[in-house]
Amino acid sequence: MLAWMAALSLGWLALSSPLDTTWNWLFAGCVVTAVAVAIVLVGRRARARRDAAAAVLAAIDASLAALPGDIRSNTALVLVLGDSPDTLTRAFGDAVVRITDAAIWVRIDASDRLAEVAAVLKQWRLGQGPEAVACLVSADQAEVSSTVSPAPSPALSPAMATTLWQWRSTIGAASRAVGYPLPACLAIQTAEADGPSDDCPWFQIATTPQGGDMLDALALQLASYAAQVQPADRAARMYRGARLAALARWTIDTVLPALQQDQPDRRHAGPPLSLWACAVIATAGAPVAGSRLTMYVTRQTSLAPQTRDGRRAAFPLPDALARGLAVRHAQSVLPRALAHGFAWLCVAFCAAAAASAWQNRALVARVMADMAHYETLTVERDAARRDALAVLRRDREELDRHARNGVPVRLALGFYRGGTLREPLARLIDGYQPPPPPPATIELDSLSLFRSGSATLNPGSNRVLIGALDMIKAHPDKRVLVAGHTDSTGNAQANVRLSEARAASVRDWLADAAALPLTHFAVQGYGATRPKASNDTVAGRAANRRVEITLVPDCRDARGGDPATPGHPACSFPSKE
């Protein structure tokens, strides 16, 4: 199960995780480490259980070696706890296992090992766990009272109370270890010095009725028991019955509440026990005079305590009670493991579906945000439009790849919606139109800007330059070439200087009006070297006197160089012929 959970976790991280690759590797390392540690701990726990139950398993194998093979599965297996080592010794002697007609009785010397032994015995019986736990109580143990007079209170001694609370805790732990609640059988024994010649049977106390109903049912059993003999033995049986009735009341008033009721002052105690049987019996032996039970029985019955010394008889196992104990069926671990594996698979699928839904939502939101951003850009912001268009093309390539190669697992599981975005993406990309190219040249008549032979702008020349200024502002990414031209009248060198001076004047006005640095402009004086018309006519000479303003690409955009030196042509500006 641990390996299966680790495989599901690593598969989710590899195929469905929305996290970054670094985080995926980090979590994968944590998963592998945690599972490795858990496997080591589970292995140690299993070895500890096997070691704790090794002696019990060896004794069971030795005891069952000579019996038929089906005895293991057809006979009830009962784990036996005792309130003291002496109680278990009187019940088992030196043996660990006793086999009777009704059950296989397994001795548990340390109650804190009950869970380990129960789990290992379930494996030994191939999935068929123990049927019950029997709790043996020697009621008249040496619980010497601090008072001289008989104690009227039926309260438990601290040692007995601690033992009962430990049984609740250990039986609860054993129930969790085997996977089902283990029923408990409470067998309480008292000693009698002078009893009838026959052996005393077990007298059962009902565990479902309360108070007087229990005692009334027991009284009927004791009356029937006393009436079944000759008058010579009837007195001894009546004496035994009175003591057993007092023992039953003591059990109902003290022992059963400690096992079956919540104990707010004992939080470490386990859950209340489910008793399938509770019985009392009297055996040969002398009761301890100072025990709480002896004093309680004396107070309840007014019978003199029996204090004669004598050897205590063996503690008979409650074989008669075990005859009605149903044998459990073997439970294979495979169906339970498959159920747990399927449950974890469902959890992993839900986690993968949640991750897929989240990533598909993020994909749709991202593509739609890219499309909305592109649509907000106007034609004048063509550079930003081209950048947004490149993002849209990457989005379309991603969606086309999903359509061509299949949707990846992280986006699949029925949540993929990227296919519906391909068509609107294609429409936006195919609908892109570059802005119209800027006019190649704006030509200005020199006579409208300057007086004859002057390079100073006329006062009314602003209106003529407004069109050129608007063109420059509309294309801030272009550099500006201002070229001056003259006719052929006069000295050629003087004409070149005049044309360059006029270009510089126009350049200065445009730079100031557009708030652009002078490095954004270049000036060129051509004189009469580039006529548009013949200089032989008045109209031709007027056409040749002009200033041309041209937008050209910035050489720094293509070559990453420095801007052109002010007053000189840029690398992309036309040069003199």
Side-chain angles (χ1 to χ4, degrees):
M1 289 305 304
L2 289 172
W4 175 243
M5 293 166 60
L8 292 176
S9 300
L10 295 177
W12 185 88
L13 290 172
L15 301 176
S16 301
S17 174
L19 302 176
D20 185 74
T21 303
T22 303
W23 284 106
N24 287 334
W25 279 107
L26 178 61
F27 284 123
C30 293
V31 168
V32 172
T33 303
V35 170
V37 172
I39 289 176
V40 171
L41 294 178
V42 170
R44 289 181 177 178
R45 184 179 179 183
R47 286 194 298 272
R49 285 179 173 178
R50 288 194 298 269
D51 294 342
V56 174
L57 290 179
I60 291 177
D61 287 334
S63 302
L64 301 182
L67 297 177
D70 59 349
I71 194 69
R72 175 183 300 186
S73 58
N74 295 334
T75 305
L77 180 64
V78 182
L79 307 179
V80 182
L81 297 173
D83 62 343
S84 68
D86 178 68
T87 300
L88 291 175
T89 300
R90 289 193 294 119
F92 286 87
D94 296 332
V96 178
V97 178
R98 282 189 58 185
I99 301 176
T100 63
D101 295 338
I104 301 174
W105 306 86
V106 179
R107 172 178 179 172
I108 307 297
D109 291 301
S111 61
D112 57 348
R113 294 293 182 89
L114 181 66
E116 287 79 1
V117 174
V120 173
L121 287 178
K122 183 179 180 180
Q123 295 179 356
W124 175 75
R125 298 177 80 192
L126 303 178
Q128 184 180 359
E131 275 67 33
V133 178
C135 302
L136 308 184
V137 178
S138 295
D140 53 0
Q141 292 283 359
E143 304 167 2
V144 180
S145 173
S146 60
T147 60
V148 178
S149 60
S153 173
L156 293 171
S157 67
M160 176 61 71
T162 301
T163 299
L164 295 179
W165 288 322
Q166 287 179 349
W167 283 352
R168 286 179 56 167
S169 177
T170 56
I171 294 176
S175 299
R176 292 189 295 271
V178 297
Y180 57 87
L182 280 171
C185 169
L186 183 62
I188 302 179
Q189 173 264 345
T190 183
E192 57 181 5
D194 296 319
S197 58
D198 60 338
D199 294 332
C200 179
W202 285 98
F203 291 96
Q204 189 166 354
I205 304 173
T207 57
T208 51
Q210 296 294 326
D213 293 339
M214 294 184 178
L215 295 176
D216 291 343
L218 180 62
L220 292 176
Q221 297 181 49
L222 294 174
S224 175
Y225 168 73
Q228 291 176 1
V229 296
Q230 299 298 323
D233 293 332
R234 188 169 299 169
R237 288 203 175 194
M238 293 294 291
Y239 187 87
R240 172 183 287 173
R243 297 187 72 252
L244 289 177
L247 176 61
R249 177 173 290 277
W250 178 80
T251 301
I252 294 171
D253 292 342
T254 60
V255 180
L256 293 184
L259 293 176
Q260 293 185 304
Q261 297 179 7
D262 292 328
Q263 303 290 330
D265 57 333
R266 289 277 181 166
R267 295 185 179 181
H268 64 279
L273 293 184
S274 173
L275 294 177
W276 60 272
C278 178
V280 294
I281 194 172
T283 59
V288 178
S291 69
R292 292 187 180 226
L293 177 63
T294 301
M295 291 184 288
Y296 178 75
V297 171
T298 301
R299 174 59 63 94
Q300 293 290 322
T301 64
S302 299
L303 298 176
Q306 299 174 326
T307 57
R308 186 175 59 189
D309 294 337
R311 186 173 181 271
R312 298 174 67 86
F315 196 124
L317 292 172
D319 201 51
L321 305 180
R323 297 185 188 280
L325 190 61
V327 179
R328 298 191 64 86
H329 298 290
Q331 296 179 349
S332 174
V333 297
L334 182 59
R336 187 177 180 183
L338 292 177
H340 280 81
F342 181 74
W344 282 109
L345 180 62
C346 292
V347 171
F349 178 80
C350 292
S356 175
W358 188 88
Q359 293 180 91
N360 274 285
R361 181 176 178 273
L363 172 66
V364 172
R366 172 170 58 84
V367 175
M368 294 187 67
D370 294 341
M371 295 168 61
H373 174 66
Y374 174 79
E375 291 178 330
T376 59
L377 300 176
T378 60
V379 178
E380 289 76 12
R381 302 176 60 187
D382 186 61
R385 290 181 74 219
R386 289 197 301 271
D387 294 338
L389 187 66
V391 175
L392 294 183
R393 288 193 175 113
R394 287 197 295 270
D395 293 340
R396 185 173 66 175
E397 290 175 0
E398 179 181 358
L399 299 181
D400 290 344
R401 185 169 59 253
H402 294 165
R404 182 173 58 255
N405 301 331
V407 180
V409 177
R410 62 183 181 84
L411 297 173
L413 303 180
F415 295 98
Y416 183 70
R417 295 296 180 270
T420 60
L421 300 175
R422 295 177 63 201
E423 184 176 349
L425 262 178
R427 284 200 303 266
L428 282 180
I429 294 174
D430 297 339
Y432 169 75
Q433 294 293 336
T441 302
I442 291 181
E443 185 177 298
L444 304 176
D445 185 6
S446 294
L447 293 180
S448 62
L449 297 174
F450 307 98
R451 291 190 300 273
S452 179
S454 173
T456 303
L457 289 171
N458 294 330
S461 60
N462 295 356
R463 293 189 300 271
V464 179
L465 293 172
I466 288 299
L469 180 63
D470 292 340
M471 180 186 70
I472 293 172
K473 288 183 177 180
H475 302 279
D477 57 331
K478 303 293 185 181
R479 297 193 70 204
V480 183
L481 172 63
V482 183
H485 300 269
T486 65
D487 58 19
S488 60
T489 304
N491 182 270
Q493 294 296 327
N495 288 337
V496 170
R497 289 192 296 271
L498 177 62
S499 63
E500 186 170 352
R502 287 177 172 178
S505 296
V506 173
R507 184 270 317 272
D508 294 341
W509 187 93
L510 292 174
D512 182 65
L516 294 173
L518 294 178
T519 56
H520 196 76
F521 298 83
V523 296
Q524 184 71 58
Y526 292 103
T529 59
R530 293 187 175 182
K532 287 180 57 179
S534 174
N535 285 306
D536 296 335
T537 63
V538 175
R541 288 192 296 272
N544 291 335
R545 294 190 297 268
R546 67 194 189 277
V547 176
E548 294 178 345
I549 301 174
T550 306
L551 297 181
V552 296
D554 193 339
C555 66
R556 293 171 297 181
D557 295 339
R559 297 170 50 184
D562 295 330
T565 304
H568 295 277
C571 58
S572 58
F573 293 155
S575 58
K576 290 183 179 181
E577 293 180 353

